[in-house]
Amino acid sequence: MEPLPSLHSELSFKEIPGCRSAEELKEARIACQERLLEQKPFMDLYTWIQQVNRMHDEIGRRAVHIGEEHMKGAGFGQPPARYAFVSFGSSGRQEATLWSDQDNGMIIGDEVDEEGNRYFQTFGEVLSDILVTAGYPKCSGKVMCSEPMWRKTLSEWKQQLDQWSSQHAWEPTRYFIIASDLRHIAGSQELSEAWCSHFQDCIDQNIELIPALLRNTVRHKATLNVMGRIVTERFGEHAGGFDVKYGVYIPLVNSVRTLALQRGIVETSTRRRIEKIILLEGGGLLLENVQDAFRVALKLRTETQTEWEEGFISSSGYMSREQLKDKQIQYDLRNTLGVVRRIHRSLQRELRAAERKGR
């Protein structure tokens, strides 16, 4: 997918293209994120997030170049086949924060041989390590090009997508959902396009897939009680706080993604997905509420508590008990959670209708 259009002139990330090592990339990233933080008060939310993700993309592309050079220096030579470096997760959706971890993969051309596969195994590990040095922690779910599950030839990827889309249990459906956010970063655009084309074929050819997607989407713990009050954490280090990522942001992302996949919308950005759904459906109060709620969720996500370590930012994703005392935050969060509840109820009705139809 193409980057979202900017409403303002783009920030300069001039430090990134000249980096020749992971350490240089780390220093460039620190300089660029400082510039982003300086400009944040003066930029529209969506524009600022777009710039954050443009930085991530440029770092990803430079990491690929540095990785290739490392492989040559280590005696592996040039890449033995075409490949595409791709992103998933919030990076795939162009919604990554300054503390997002790795969510990436690799598509390798079918012309690769056994020796070439060994090259890409090492290359995937090298690339993941470069990104760690540059401030991207390894994904706890192991969605990384260093892992065989997310580094495959195009034919292997097609077989994997076929399996995930035809097995409607929770886990294969979850993997298919993760895959749906794929976005090309570097390498062969042709491979990424072929992957996306097959992904869409999987949706078109599996009528039972949509109910499976709906079942996964509506699985969500309650975040408003029967009185309409925010349900906060009861125990642990975040007691009294609220998990913005999994309590409000991810439920909205998942709901919009499912609505988009149902309608054959080929986008990865949640914002663009909402816009295209509204255009296709001719508007609608609930959809417009979802659009507004998503913007609030992104805003709240940028305001969660953060910590600094060695020039990098980390966040638990929680708003603290103290932050939740702010009346505006309470109001925004409660309204947004109300939208989450309404869109989930709508999807639950669709699921029940689909299940009745399938009997």
Side-chain angles (χ1 to χ4, degrees), residues 264-306:
I265 293 171
V266 184
E267 288 289 351
T268 56
S269 156
T270 305
R271 178 187 172 191
R272 276 183 166 165
R273 282 169 170 165
I274 297 171
E275 289 172 350
K276 290 204 170 183
I277 293 166
I278 290 174
L279 187 63
L280 194 63
E281 297 293 323
L285 182 59
L286 178 56
L287 291 174
E288 290 168 5
N289 287 342
V290 169
Q291 187 175 41
D292 293 339
F294 179 67
R295 184 183 181 91
V296 172
L298 285 179
K299 179 175 180 292
L300 293 174
R301 198 172 178 220
T302 67
E303 295 174 353
T304 55
Q305 288 190 309
T306 56

Side-chain angles (χ1 to χ4, degrees), residues 81-98:
R82 298 170 301 149
Y83 73 93
F85 178 63
V86 297
S87 63
F88 298 104
S90 60
S91 178
R93 297 188 301 272
Q94 294 175 271
E95 297 157 12
T97 63
L98 289 175

Side-chain angles (χ1 to χ4, degrees), residues 123-134:
F123 181 45
E125 293 166 355
V126 166
L127 184 50
S128 183
D129 288 342
I130 291 170
L131 290 170
V132 168
T133 301

Side-chain angles (χ1 to χ4, degrees), residues 1 6 42 72 74 134 151 209 226-228 262 277 281 297 347:
M1 301 298 168
S6 175
F42 311 107
K72 282 191 273 187
R151 184 192 67 250
L209 179 58
V226 293
M227 303 295 291
Q262 279 181 297
I277 293 166
E281 297 293 323
L347 293 173

Side-chain angles (χ1 to χ4, degrees), residues 336-350:
T336 303
L337 291 174
V339 174
V340 170
R341 184 157 64 181
R342 292 199 298 278
I343 191 64
H344 271 191
R345 285 175 176 171
S346 176
L347 293 173
Q348 285 166 349
R349 287 193 294 272
E350 288 192 34

